[in-house]
Amino acid sequence: MGKSSDVQGLKDIFKGDFLIGVAMKTGFVMEGMPEVQPILEQHFNSLSPENGLKWVKVHPEQDRYDFEFGDKYVAMGEKLGAFTIGHCLVWHQQVPDWVFRDEAGEFLNKEALIERMEEHIEMVVGRYKGKIKGWDVVNEVFDDDGTWRKSSWYKIAGSDFIKAAFRKAHEIDPEAELYYNDYNVFLPTKRRAILDFLKEMKSEGIRIDGIGMQGHYLIDSPSIDKIEQGILDVNEAGFSVMFTELDVDVLPRPRQSEGADLNMNFSNSAKWDPYVDGLTSETEMKLALRYASLFSLFKKHRDKISRVTFWGINDGNTWLNNFPVKGRTNYPLLFDRDFKIKQEVFNEIKKASASE
Ligand code: GLA
């Protein structure tokens, strides 16, 4: 294995196919990290903010915005020449409770909530106008069975806040691409509900460019066929496809759930944490082959896919060390705990890039 700088980076391997992105941990942006910059330069031409632009971070109190992370993140993206993503304007998680309440602590009515949301979008999108090139405007408003998620957003404002959010984001930065982002888009019923609603939005003249299929996958599920059908249907409905939060969980799941329902939590035990001292070579190869089949699929549909973003740089810093079981040792990403590339995984992805 050569020094990492000797090898062609992922962004070059897939040049002309789709962008290769990575989610940035808040600490990497705020404090810098000597290992991170060369990895970014070599492999990635798009950045996403893992947590730093979520409502609770950027707008923690009604009269206080905190743009320290955002400013640094955007500067980092500019320096890299990256296609910089904003994530996410409206979501039911990581949003403070005050957003939904008036001064007396009572729930707002629909108009007041939408107004508050529009103000937030105006401030955040406005600040990074022309710099953040694409926004996850709305995240995860459908349940897996295709019904609306009964979040505070939905309970107060029905589905109307969604259209209002896209309209406002477009008004504030008409050049920015706008996306809907969700997990388990490979489930046909959920996907149908998403596509029906987004097509309706589009037919009303509301800008929406693409759909983020998050891509929090397990080592052996969902099947490539299910993911492929997702790509085909999203494309058929007239939206560009993005894999926005790709990672591959190698650990056993207490119950089958491929997505990112953060409410799941199980207490830790050795049964659920088998690789504390390192991944077996067998499982490492399985991981490499799983990534290979995913990237063969992406390559096959490169005309439909605009971006593939990994949800983090390295295993030491992945959310999957704490989900759905806290404090485990997981290995879902391309770089190990020492920020070294997993050569086997990289080689298999490279082979996949040559497939048709
Ligand atoms: C969802 C969100 C992400 C992130 C993951 C878990 O997928 O879109 O921002 O919070 O959950 O890390």
Side-chain angles (χ1 to χ4, degrees):
M1 178 185 140
K3 281 208 311 292
S4 63
S5 56
D6 297 339
V7 294
Q8 207 186 9
L10 274 182
K11 67 174 165 47
D12 304 309
I13 292 174
F14 292 99
K15 195 172 175 185
D17 296 332
F18 35 75
L19 295 170
I20 298 285
V22 68
M24 294 303 295
K25 271 223 118 43
T26 304
F28 290 174
V29 174
M30 299 299 277
E31 287 120 48
M33 188 72 157
E35 292 91 340
V36 167
Q37 192 58 29
I39 290 178
L40 295 182
E41 284 169 18
Q42 188 174 0
H43 292 284
F44 298 103
N45 49 20
S46 177
L47 296 183
S48 294
E50 185 174 353
N51 288 306
L53 284 182
K54 289 173 179 169
W55 194 312
V56 72
K57 298 286 182 190
V58 77
H59 191 182
E61 292 162 44
Q62 193 170 351
D63 300 320
R64 186 166 69 86
Y65 286 83
D66 182 347
F67 290 119
E68 206 188 330
F69 167 85
D71 292 357
K72 288 204 166 96
Y73 164 74
V74 163
M76 194 171 200
E78 282 190 320
K79 191 169 152 221
L80 195 66
F83 190 89
T84 302
I85 301 296
H87 169 89
C88 46
L89 294 167
V90 185
W91 190 29
H92 65 284
Q93 302 256 6
Q94 292 175 267
V95 55
D97 191 50
W98 64 258
V99 172
F100 305 101
R101 294 175 189 276
D102 63 18
E103 274 159 20
E106 302 295 327
F107 275 121
L108 296 178
N109 65 26
K110 176 172 159 178
E111 286 68 35
L113 179 62
I114 291 184
E115 195 180 316
R116 193 167 275 182
M117 178 195 79
E118 289 176 336
E119 219 175 86
H120 174 83
I121 292 175
E122 190 168 338
M123 285 295 286
V124 181
V125 175
R127 187 167 182 100
Y128 302 117
K129 182 176 175 177
K131 296 182 171 168
I132 285 191
K133 307 291 184 192
W135 276 101
D136 289 339
V137 179
V138 173
N139 204 27
E140 303 180 350
V141 293
F142 288 96
D143 277 328
D144 282 354
D145 64 2
T147 60
W148 294 106
R149 179 187 296 283
K150 310 300 178 296
S151 65
S152 297
W153 290 107
Y154 182 79
K155 285 188 206 149
I156 297 173
S159 61
D160 287 350
F161 72 93
I162 304 167
K163 292 179 184 177
F166 277 88
R167 280 208 178 91
K168 185 48 96 180
H170 181 56
E171 179 196 321
I172 301 301
D173 188 352
E175 302 294 320
E177 292 188 359
L178 305 181
Y179 318 126
Y180 174 75
N181 193 52
D182 213 331
Y183 63 89
N184 289 356
V185 181
F186 66 86
L187 295 173
T189 312
K190 181 171 195 173
R191 183 168 65 244
R192 181 55 39 223
I194 293 172
L195 293 180
D196 284 350
F197 181 73
L198 298 183
K199 279 196 289 191
E200 177 188 307
M201 249 176 56
K202 209 172 175 177
S203 73
E204 291 171 19
I206 298 172
R207 175 166 185 169
I208 164 159
D209 297 272
I211 297 183
M213 299 174 63
Q214 291 182 0
H216 296 295
Y217 296 137
L218 304 185
I219 194 131
D220 48 11
S221 92
S223 71
I224 293 296
D225 287 355
K226 285 187 185 166
I227 301 171
E228 180 165 38
Q229 197 55 52
I231 298 173
L232 294 171
D233 289 357
V234 170
N235 173 70
E236 166 80 24
F239 303 104
S240 89
V241 178
M242 286 158 296
F243 288 85
T244 51
E245 304 185 15
L246 183 63
D247 46 27
V248 174
D249 187 347
V250 305
L251 298 180
R253 282 269 163 123
R255 100 175 130 76
Q256 202 71 356
S257 164
E258 295 91 343
D261 180 349
L262 298 176
N263 294 321
M264 258 174 83
N265 218 330
F266 289 79
S267 61
N268 201 354
S269 77
K271 182 178 171 203
W272 304 115
D273 197 13
Y275 307 120
V276 180
D277 300 324
L279 206 54
T280 59
S281 51
E282 193 193 337
T283 307
E284 180 141 354
M285 198 58 212
K286 267 181 88 177
L287 176 70
L289 293 176
R290 176 69 164 155
Y291 267 117
S293 24
L294 288 165
F295 273 88
S296 301
L297 178 71
F298 301 158
K299 180 78 183 185
K300 178 175 172 193
H301 295 294
R302 63 186 182 278
D303 58 329
K304 307 171 188 69
I305 297 173
S306 54
R307 171 167 58 91
V308 176
T309 290
F310 288 84
W311 202 241
I313 293 180
N314 77 326
D315 290 343
N317 292 286
T318 166
W319 73 295
L320 287 171
N321 291 324
N322 294 301
F323 176 87
V325 178
K326 286 210 164 64
R328 295 194 298 177
T329 308
N330 213 332
Y331 300 82
L333 294 168
L334 201 54
F335 295 84
D336 68 15
R337 283 174 166 69
D338 300 320
F339 291 91
K340 289 213 192 66
I341 196 152
K342 296 176 185 169
Q343 202 56 46
E344 209 74 72
V345 178
F346 180 77
N347 291 346
E348 289 299 325
I349 292 179
K350 195 168 173 183
K351 269 194 241 161
S353 75
S355 65
E356 271 308 312

